Amino acid sequence: MPTFLSRLRADAGRTARLAAPLAAGHLSHGLVGFVDAMVAGHHGTTTLAAVSVGSALLWLPMLAPMGTLMALPPAVSQLDGGGRRAAIGPLFRQALWLALGLGIVLLALLSAMPLLLRPMGIAPDIVPGVVDFLHAVRWGIPAFTLYLSMRYLSDGLHWSLPTMLLGFGGLCLLAPTAYVLTNGLLGLPELGAAGIGIATALMFWLQALGFALYLWRSPRFADLQLFAHFEWPRWPAQRELLLNGLPIGVTVTMEGGLFAATALLIGRLGEVPAAAHQVALNVATLCFMLPFGIAEATTVRVGHALGRGDREGVRSAAFAGLALALCTQVCSALLMLAGHDAIAALYSADPAVIALGGSLLLYAALFQLPDGVQVVSAGALRGLNDTRVPMWMAALAYWGIGMPVGAGLGLWLGWGPRGMWLGLTAGLLVAAVLLCRRFLRSSARLPMPASSPASSPAPPSVTVTDAA
């Protein structure tokens, strides 16, 4: 036991050092929504409600390619841990093709999305702003998916500093650009929600170009020859990425889809509930970036341990990630409980939005601990390439329990947004229990002795059995 505890402390330190820039990078992406909401909220309640619904329609389909590309970090980490760095460059080039294809598909989907607004029952006064936002932001989507493939490569090699720097660099561009375009300053026309979409798309392109330049010029990646050769898409490599990535994409989409669908259902109730929901959701999203970064670091460390054939290293890395996530989530919950009204007042001057948004933050505090457990457990399972059964577990938790409970309480029983947020809590709690239990069982079945690196598998095709 002392040996395990000492290893756990060491792993917690390593995970924290890797996770800190990752969490900061995720926080910068979460702050994109914060900046968008702040600019929109001070432009007007209608603009804030439009950006709330538009962001839900943007990020819901975006989660599928984001999750699919999450197959890259554990694959890269397993290759690195197994001493097969020469295979990383070809894998990365195939990931770029996959990212580009996913980005183009998503751009086409967002182009058609405005046709669904009225059938969804979105309040008519919100619809024009939603359409303007989506039509503007869609042009940055291919850049964002390419950026993700480059970022996941770097993360899989335990180098997450570029993610943080480029993330906050993008915010330095987004905030002033969105404010100027939205409010029509410096002699420019007042674009409202469209200005926020244009500024966000521009930021995506500059981040992608910046990351590509860094990978091309950095000595750290020189031996990988990432851009030394041109390769057409190869189906075996694409298939390998998709086999592990698509279940992750579906899982992430189902979780994010629960929140996005909640936003769309609340959007049927009018602009004040939609705006208040956006306030609470954005705060909860910002807090989620910390355990999300820890989860990605856990994926990389579990994958590296798997690649070198270290069963105890797999479990220790996962437990260290869980311990760190629980610490961050306790802090987030206390922040929401103590400052809910003051936080809501940062987003809007509308007293009705502040009152409802502040009360929703109390509900958000309830699910901080289960949210941290479920995301780190899912990250540890990705490190094991165990993705298919967790996908079905997520479907049950989020859509079999979370959505019916939320819709029943919020719409049928008339509890409004508060009932919907109780449904979110129920779904996350069930997911936390199922995924944590799945990792304990999967890691216990690993077919390798704890002290036999020679038995390391051949990444990235290693997959823990999907037996329940």
Side-chain angles (χ1 to χ4, degrees):
M1 181 62 68
T3 301
F4 178 77
L5 289 177
S6 62
R7 180 166 193 171
L8 184 63
R9 285 194 296 269
D11 273 332
R14 296 187 188 99
T15 301
R17 287 190 292 273
L18 177 60
L22 282 173
H26 281 302
L27 183 62
S28 69
H29 281 298
L31 286 172
V32 170
F34 174 77
V35 170
D36 288 351
M38 288 280 287
V39 173
H42 287 280
H43 185 262
T45 299
T46 302
T47 305
L48 177 57
V51 171
S52 170
V53 175
S55 296
L57 292 172
L58 167 67
W59 291 106
L60 175 58
M62 181 83 81
L63 290 170
M66 287 177 65
T68 301
L69 293 170
M70 281 182 185
L72 188 59
V76 169
S77 185
Q78 289 170 30
L79 289 170
D80 189 38
R84 301 178 59 203
R85 284 179 63 89
I88 293 176
L91 177 65
F92 169 68
R93 288 188 284 274
Q94 294 304 307
L96 285 178
W97 281 113
L98 179 60
L100 180 61
L102 291 171
I104 292 173
V105 170
L106 192 54
L107 186 153
L109 180 62
L110 288 176
S111 299
M113 193 71 73
L115 300 175
L116 303 177
L117 294 178
R118 296 191 186 279
M120 287 178 183
I122 302 300
D125 54 342
I126 300 176
V127 170
V130 176
V131 173
D132 290 344
F133 175 80
L134 290 176
H135 279 173
V137 76
R138 60 180 170 169
W139 300 110
I141 301 307
F144 184 67
T145 55
L146 289 171
Y147 168 86
L148 286 174
S149 64
M150 293 181 277
R151 174 195 150 180
Y152 288 152
L153 166 80
S154 185
D155 293 348
L157 292 170
H158 293 209
W159 185 239
S160 49
L161 186 61
T163 298
M164 180 182 71
L165 296 179
L166 286 168
F168 282 101
L171 283 176
C172 293
L173 168 73
L174 174 65
T177 305
Y179 190 77
V180 168
L181 293 176
T182 300
N183 294 284
L185 304 179
L186 303 179
L188 296 173
E190 182 179 349
L191 298 177
I196 296 173
I198 292 171
T200 304
L202 179 62
M203 180 195 68
F204 287 157
W205 276 107
L206 291 178
Q207 285 178 323
L209 293 173
F211 218 136
L213 181 62
Y214 174 79
L215 292 178
W216 178 42
R217 300 296 299 272
S218 175
R220 178 181 291 271
F221 300 94
D223 66 307
L224 302 179
Q225 298 185 318
L226 299 175
F227 301 108
H229 310 288
F230 176 83
E231 295 181 8
W232 290 106
R234 290 185 291 107
W235 173 240
Q238 300 284 327
R239 180 178 179 274
E240 194 66 47
L241 285 169
L242 288 171
L243 280 176
N244 286 325
L246 281 178
I248 301 173
V250 173
T251 301
V252 173
T253 301
M254 284 188 293
E255 178 187 357
L258 178 63
F259 285 85
T262 299
L264 295 175
L265 289 175
I266 292 175
R268 299 166 63 98
L269 304 177
E271 66 179 28
V272 170
H277 172 75
Q278 176 66 9
V279 169
L281 179 60
N282 187 247
V283 174
T285 300
L286 289 177
C287 292
F288 178 72
M289 295 302 104
L290 298 176
F292 195 22
I294 294 170
E296 286 203 332
T298 302
T299 297
V300 171
R301 290 194 49 74
V302 167
H304 200 270
L306 181 67
R308 67 176 186 267
D310 184 358
R311 189 205 324 255
E312 290 306 313
V314 165
R315 294 173 69 87
S316 179
F319 294 151
L322 284 170
L324 290 171
L326 289 175
C327 291
T328 65
Q329 296 306 87
V330 168
C331 294
S332 296
L334 292 176
L335 176 64
M336 293 179 189
L337 291 172
H340 52 283
D341 287 333
I343 294 170
L346 295 174
Y347 286 83
S348 176
D350 188 330
V353 173
I354 294 172
L356 183 55
S359 69
L360 292 181
L361 284 174
L362 297 178
Y363 290 84
L366 291 177
F367 64 62
Q368 293 305 298
L369 291 180
D371 204 12
V373 172
Q374 66 85 19
V375 72
V376 173
S377 299
L381 288 166
R382 287 196 294 270
L384 296 178
N385 289 341
D386 185 7
T387 58
R388 294 176 182 83
V389 170
M391 175 183 69
W392 295 110
M393 290 178 172
L396 171 64
Y398 302 136
W399 291 93
I401 295 175
M403 179 51 64
V405 170
L409 295 176
L411 300 181
W412 298 335
L413 296 184
W415 291 19
R418 296 174 179 86
M420 298 295 297
W421 277 70
L422 285 175
L424 296 177
T425 302
L428 291 170
L429 179 60
V430 172
V433 172
L434 293 178
L435 294 175
C436 187
R437 179 176 177 270
R438 173 69 181 180
F439 172 77
L440 293 175
R441 296 186 63 184
S442 294
S443 60
R445 292 198 303 264
L446 288 176
M448 62 182 78
S451 58
S452 178
S455 64
S456 61
S461 59
V462 175
T463 304
V464 174
T465 177
D466 284 333

